[in-house]
Amino acid sequence: MVHWVLRGVVLLWAAFFFILGVRGILDPATFTDMFGIAVDGGAANTVRADLSAFFLVSAGGAAIGALMPRWRGALFVPAALYGTALVGRLVGVASGDPVNGAIVQAMIVEALSTLLMAGSWRLLSRRAGPGIAEPA
């Protein structure tokens, strides 16, 4: 039962970030408002491609890891992406980059996302005890 609930949570996470990635492809100004990024001229194409790819690939990895038991390792894709983003932000903070509420919020989301994906991999990879059905 816990495995199904965990899979559901991961799939909801994936759906949210999938929608965010699609919105970014269709309208890069989505990222302008959300992340405070200026999208002028050719930068719109870069923002559209790079940020959307980040969210779509992480959502795809999470969905595959949640839905396909033999592919649980796909959960490491979003864990690695969000973990790397968090490390980059921490380096920026240590280097004296300005920090505001949006950056703190992004760091919290990145930390929780990394923990959710790595923890999900760990829990979904466990074998069931005696008398308990194996996870699907």
Side-chain angles (χ1 to χ4, degrees), residues 63-80:
I64 289 169
L67 292 172
M68 301 178 76
R70 296 192 190 277
W71 287 60
R72 286 187 228 50
L75 292 167
F76 285 129
V77 172

Side-chain angles (χ1 to χ4, degrees), residues 51-131:
L51 286 176
S52 293
F54 180 89
F55 293 119
L56 292 171
V57 169
S58 64
I64 289 169
L67 292 172
M68 301 178 76
R70 296 192 190 277
W71 287 60
R72 286 187 228 50
L75 292 167
F76 285 129
V77 172
L81 286 168
Y82 282 84
T84 303
L86 178 60
V87 168
R89 288 190 197 278
L90 292 171
V91 168
V93 169
S95 299
D97 291 352
V99 178
N100 58 28
I103 291 176
V104 171
Q105 180 182 357
M107 292 171 74
I108 291 168
V109 169
E110 291 158 357
L112 292 175
S113 294
T114 302
L115 289 172
L116 174 64
M117 295 304 137
S120 295
W121 172 83
R122 181 168 168 76
L123 289 174
L124 292 174
S125 295
R126 283 189 177 167
R127 298 234 175 234

